[in-house]
Amino acid sequence: MKILFIGGTGTISTAISKELAARGDELYLLNRGSRNDLFEGCDNVKFITVDVNDEEATKAALGDLKFDSVCDFIGFVPEQLERDYRLFAGRTKQFMYISSASAYHKLPADYIITEATTLANPYWEYSRNKIACEEFLISKYREEKFPITIVRPSHTYCERSVPLGVHGSKGSWQVIKRMMEGKQVIIHGDGTSLWTITDSRDFAKGFIGLIGNPKAIGEAFQITCDVALPWNQIYKIIADVLDVELKPYYVSSDFLASVSDFDFVGSLIGDKANSVVFDNSKLKSVVPGLSMNIRPEEGIRRTIEYCLAHPECQEEDPEFDAWCDKVIDVLENAKKAF
């Protein structure tokens, strides 16, 4: 198939791009070219190096190309999807959009999440924007038969991103460093809420099954691992891979949100603090034989080993580190006061 990705080299999309390249599809990556070296030597991968936000330049770079499927991995606000519609209406047989499972109703009325679960998230602007993007695409499908497929990932990680609940703006490394230094690490709540983390290679299986699939047109699908774990177990797996003792420090999500600038209102109260289990029956009904079988223990080990071997993944975050120490110190002093 002839496929175009807007982005294609990020946390979610790289595994998909690599799989399609190995499969022999004609793949076009439209991006700024910062990580296209990942596909050196892949003759069936072509690059359109342009800033997609420059609509006229993108239109010129596309020329008269048409595609079996186009996917936007980096669309966050409706204006970007309106641009995509202008660029690709009549140019593709399928337009796929990466939304987010954080768009589902918060606080959840039921811990089992299906595609029929209401979309509403008053806690996180990111999620509300994703909902607005979906609504725009659905209107274009209903009114003009623009051939959309909406995909809702939850917490997807790759070899460069260790899945955590509480971390700073520079990623997960500082938490890993604290573990290795024998320091306490903050876990939201009491660590017993259920969460689903999905290896990007598993996500790729489900996503590729939807590409060019006529049953996917006009539909929304969530793609996640089938295993839900308490956060305590996720952090314990990380500590075990590092061969260190896990020293958790439990702090309510509400407190964390009120004493930081890390947008924990959105990322915790509006997402990770809620127990959710995703029902992937709809996806499996249109992608026969699909198996999301990379266990968290396997995926996390791969990620930790990769990060330890690649210094570029070890970006320190002293501001977040100091904030963690302060939160723990303040709460310990509060305990002493009683």
Side-chain angles (χ1 to χ4, degrees):
M1 285 190 289
K2 191 174 183 179
I3 301 164
L4 180 138
F5 286 167
I6 302 172
T9 59
T11 298
I12 288 178
S13 56
T14 297
I16 304 169
S17 297
K18 287 182 175 179
E19 183 63 29
L20 291 174
R23 197 173 77 169
D25 292 89
E26 186 178 355
L27 177 62
Y28 290 77
L29 300 182
L30 192 159
N31 55 41
R32 297 179 184 180
S34 59
R35 300 188 70 238
N36 286 345
D37 58 335
L38 294 171
F39 301 95
E40 285 183 3
C42 297
D43 295 336
N44 55 319
V45 180
K46 301 174 174 60
F47 306 106
I48 301 176
T49 305
V50 66
D51 182 353
V52 71
N53 295 306
D54 187 336
E55 188 171 338
E56 290 305 312
T58 301
K59 186 176 180 179
L62 288 169
D64 59 359
L65 287 170
K66 292 188 176 183
F67 305 94
D68 295 303
S69 184
V70 171
C71 181
D72 189 343
F73 288 92
I74 55 174
F76 300 100
V77 295
E79 292 77 11
Q80 293 171 319
L81 275 297
E82 292 167 8
R83 172 208 64 209
D84 290 348
Y85 172 75
R86 291 191 296 269
L87 285 169
F88 296 105
R91 195 189 285 270
T92 183
K93 298 174 184 177
Q94 179 187 40
F95 181 85
M96 305 181 72
Y97 173 59
I98 301 296
S99 182
S100 171
S102 69
Y104 288 121
H105 197 285
K106 302 294 184 302
L107 302 171
D110 191 324
Y111 76 99
I112 300 293
I113 304 297
T114 74
E115 288 82 356
T117 300
T118 305
L119 303 184
N121 192 332
Y123 302 99
W124 207 0
E125 183 180 14
Y126 165 82
S127 306
R128 293 193 296 274
N129 283 332
K130 288 288 190 179
I131 294 170
C133 290
E134 287 197 29
E135 290 173 343
F136 169 77
L137 291 175
I138 291 168
S139 71
K140 289 301 178 184
Y141 171 70
R142 289 174 176 169
E143 296 165 10
E144 303 177 30
K145 295 301 180 183
F146 186 49
I148 65 163
T149 298
I150 293 169
V151 176
R152 298 176 188 142
S154 184
H155 193 160
T156 307
Y157 66 98
C158 67
E159 71 275 11
R160 304 185 310 277
S161 58
V162 181
L164 294 165
V166 179
H167 60 77
S169 57
K170 295 183 180 180
S172 57
W173 176 253
Q174 196 65 44
V175 180
I176 304 308
K177 188 171 185 288
R178 288 180 70 88
M179 285 188 180
M180 293 190 296
E181 291 174 346
K183 300 176 74 173
Q184 292 174 300
V185 294
I186 293 174
I187 299 178
H188 58 278
D190 61 3
T192 60
S193 59
L194 295 175
W195 194 243
T196 299
I197 56 173
T198 305
D199 190 293
S200 61
R201 295 168 295 174
D202 260 351
F203 182 87
K205 298 173 190 174
F207 186 89
I208 290 172
L210 296 176
I211 296 176
N213 189 330
K215 293 183 179 180
I217 302 301
E219 299 287 345
F221 298 88
Q222 55 197 27
I223 304 177
T224 73
C225 176
D226 289 327
V227 177
L229 296 175
W231 278 105
N232 282 328
Q233 184 63 18
I234 294 172
Y235 276 77
K236 181 66 164 56
I237 292 170
I238 295 169
D240 286 348
V241 172
L242 292 169
D243 195 23
V244 298
E245 178 188 357
L246 175 63
K247 297 180 179 179
Y249 195 88
Y250 300 109
V251 184
S252 78
S253 298
D254 183 68
F255 184 84
L256 293 173
S258 66
V259 299
S260 82
D261 296 321
F262 299 119
D263 192 20
F264 290 141
V265 172
S267 66
L268 290 181
I269 299 173
D271 197 27
K272 297 181 180 67
N274 301 279
S275 281
V276 290
V277 176
F278 294 97
D279 181 346
N280 290 297
S281 298
K282 182 178 179 180
L283 174 68
K284 292 177 180 178
S285 71
V286 301
V287 186
L290 177 64
S291 176
M292 315 287 275
N293 57 10
I294 298 177
R295 291 192 54 79
E297 294 84 354
E298 176 189 346
I300 287 174
R301 177 171 295 280
R302 168 180 175 253
T303 298
I304 293 289
E305 291 176 350
Y306 184 94
C307 289
L308 291 175
H310 291 78
E312 68 272 16
C313 297
Q314 301 170 19
E315 184 176 7
E316 297 196 15
D317 192 344
E319 179 185 357
F320 173 74
D321 196 50
W323 176 82
C324 289
D325 290 337
K326 184 176 181 179
V327 167
I328 294 169
D329 185 56
V330 166
L331 290 175
E332 286 301 300
N333 285 331
K335 292 177 184 178
K336 293 174 183 178
F338 283 90

